[in-house]
Amino acid sequence: MSTNGYRDYFKVLELDRGADADAVKQSFRRLARQHHPDVNPGDKSAEARFKEISEAYEVLSDPEKRRRYEQFGQYWNQMGAPGGGGMGADVDFGRYGNFDEFINDLLGRFGGGGGSGFGSGFPAGFGGRGAPVNLDAEATINLSLSEAFRGCERTLSVNEERVQVRIPAGVRSGSRLRLKGKGNLQPGTGRRGDLYLNLQLQPHPVWRLDGDQLRADLPLSLDELALGGEVTVATPDGEATVQVPPGMSVGRSLRLKGKGWPLKESRGDLLLSPVLRMPESLSPREQELLEELRRNRSSDPRQGWTDSARL
C-alpha cells in the first residue's frame, strides 16, 4: 500500500495485470487460506493481510469494478461507483465454523457483481448483525449393548483436539451427552460452542432393551415347557438358575428382579420369554416317545379354536 492510500490489487494477490478470472480466484483461495485469522489466531497482521486480500478479490473478481480500477487507478471507487464504500470495515470472522464453506461463500458473493463494502457482501450475522451465530455442534456415537450397560470411555477427535469422553453405565439410544466448550470455534474471537453427542445402541443377538427392563427369549425344550424344573440361564452378571413352572405356556415371562438394565440408583428387571426350541433331528427313542405321547394325549390343543376361527 502506498502512502497516498492506493492499493495495487494485482500485487496484493501476487498477479500480473493480465491475469484472468480463474487466476484471480485461485490466487485468492490460496492466499486467503494462508492468512485467515483461524489459521493464525491472535495474529493481527494476518487479519489485516486477510482483509486486504479480500478487498483486492472483491474488486478484481467483479468485471465492472475491475474495469474502473484499471481505468482510474486510486480514484476508481469515486468514478461512477454507487454508494462508494470499500473494504476497510472491521469484520467478525465468526460466520462460518468450516473454512471451506466460508471461502466458497465468499467467492460466490464477491463474484456476483454487487455490494459496496465488506459487510454488505456477507449474510446477516457475519459482521455482528442479525441473529447470533450458533457454534454448537453434534456428533453420533454408536455403542455396543455391553458398552452401554457397563459404561465406557471413548477418545474423540474434535477440531484437531483429542477429547476423552466418559459414557456412564445405563445410557440408552437417544441419550445425549454435552461436552461444554468443545463445539465449533469462532475465528478471531476465541468463542466456542458446546458439542452434543447423540448415543445410539447397536442391536444385540440376545438382549433387547424395553424401557427399564432387559428382555431376551429363553429357548426351552418340549419336556422343559411341559414338566418344568430348574434350568441354567445367562444374565448380564453371569449364569443363574431359574425355576420353570410345569406347563409354562409361550407368551409368559420369567422375571428376575434387579438383574436388568442399570438405573440411576438401582437395576431394572430381567424378563425371559420362553420359546420352544425343537431339535434339528430326533433320536429313535425320542421319536418313539413322541409317538406314544401323540397316541395317549388327553386333550385337543385346538379345542374351541377351530370354531372361534370361522369367519
Side-chain angles (χ1 to χ4, degrees):
M1 177 175 170
S2 66
T3 56
N4 62 3
Y6 173 69
R7 289 184 176 91
D8 188 332
Y9 292 143
F10 290 99
K11 285 186 177 180
V12 169
L13 292 182
E14 301 177 0
L15 294 168
D16 296 330
R17 287 195 166 267
D20 61 16
D22 286 339
V24 171
K25 182 180 293 187
Q26 291 173 8
S27 183
F28 169 72
R29 182 183 288 274
R30 174 178 58 83
L31 293 172
R33 182 179 293 276
Q34 178 182 347
H35 296 283
H36 190 274
D38 195 15
V39 181
N40 305 274
D43 188 339
K44 294 299 183 182
S45 63
E47 183 172 332
R49 175 79 169 121
F50 178 80
K51 292 179 183 179
E52 188 179 44
I53 292 164
S54 300
E55 178 180 343
Y57 179 74
E58 181 192 18
V59 174
L60 296 185
S61 64
D62 185 300
E64 175 58 24
K65 290 180 180 179
R66 177 170 176 170
R67 182 190 65 78
R68 287 190 280 109
Y69 174 75
E70 291 179 332
Q71 182 176 0
F72 300 110
Q74 70 185 85
Y75 304 108
W76 73 273
N77 209 24
Q78 283 75 46
M79 303 302 292
M87 297 271 295
D90 288 335
V91 176
D92 179 357
F93 294 100
R95 168 68 173 138
Y96 302 101
N98 181 292
F99 181 79
D100 286 328
E101 180 185 345
F102 161 71
I103 290 296
N104 288 335
D105 188 73
L106 196 63
L107 289 169
R109 290 176 181 274
F110 282 173
S116 59
F118 193 95
S120 63
F122 288 83
F126 187 94
R129 297 179 296 278
V133 177
N134 180 14
L135 298 175
D136 291 341
E138 292 194 17
T140 298
I141 294 183
N142 294 314
L143 301 172
S144 69
L145 202 71
S146 176
E147 290 175 319
F149 179 83
R150 293 182 172 82
C152 62
E153 289 189 354
R154 287 288 185 88
T155 301
L156 308 177
S157 179
V158 181
N159 292 321
E160 300 183 356
E161 175 186 356
R162 293 176 66 83
V163 177
Q164 196 81 9
V165 181
R166 174 64 188 172
I167 298 172
V171 296
R172 310 168 190 221
S173 280
S175 298
R176 279 163 60 95
L177 296 180
R178 176 191 179 197
L179 301 185
K180 189 173 177 60
K182 298 298 181 182
N184 293 322
L185 178 67
Q186 187 176 41
T189 68
R191 288 185 57 234
R192 196 165 181 182
D194 298 334
L195 175 63
Y196 291 88
L197 301 179
N198 300 309
L199 306 181
Q200 296 296 325
L201 274 58
Q202 300 302 295
H204 190 275
V206 173
W207 304 109
R208 58 187 181 275
L209 189 56
D210 181 11
D212 292 340
Q213 300 169 337
L214 193 60
R215 289 182 173 271
D217 292 334
L218 174 62
L220 294 176
S221 64
L222 178 60
D223 60 284
E224 288 173 329
L225 278 172
L227 303 176
E230 287 188 350
V231 298
T232 300
V233 300
T235 76
D237 304 309
E239 291 186 347
T241 301
V242 298
Q243 183 71 37
V244 177
M248 185 166 191
S249 60
V250 174
R252 293 175 57 192
S253 295
L254 298 171
R255 182 184 297 268
L256 283 72
K257 294 187 68 65
K259 296 294 185 180
W261 199 250
L263 307 178
K264 184 175 291 187
E265 297 180 356
S266 61
R267 292 269 296 274
D269 295 340
L270 182 66
L271 297 179
L272 300 175
S273 302
V275 293
L276 176 61
R277 176 69 57 84
M278 292 296 293
E280 293 183 3
S281 61
L282 297 173
S283 69
R285 181 57 177 159
E286 288 173 328
Q287 184 75 33
E288 180 183 344
L289 291 172
L290 285 173
E291 291 288 353
E292 184 176 351
L293 174 63
R294 179 159 60 182
R295 289 192 300 269
N296 294 280
R297 189 174 60 231
S298 61
S299 63
D300 180 0
R302 290 170 296 284
Q303 184 177 6
W305 177 86
T306 303
D307 292 338
S308 299
R310 289 196 180 100
L311 297 177

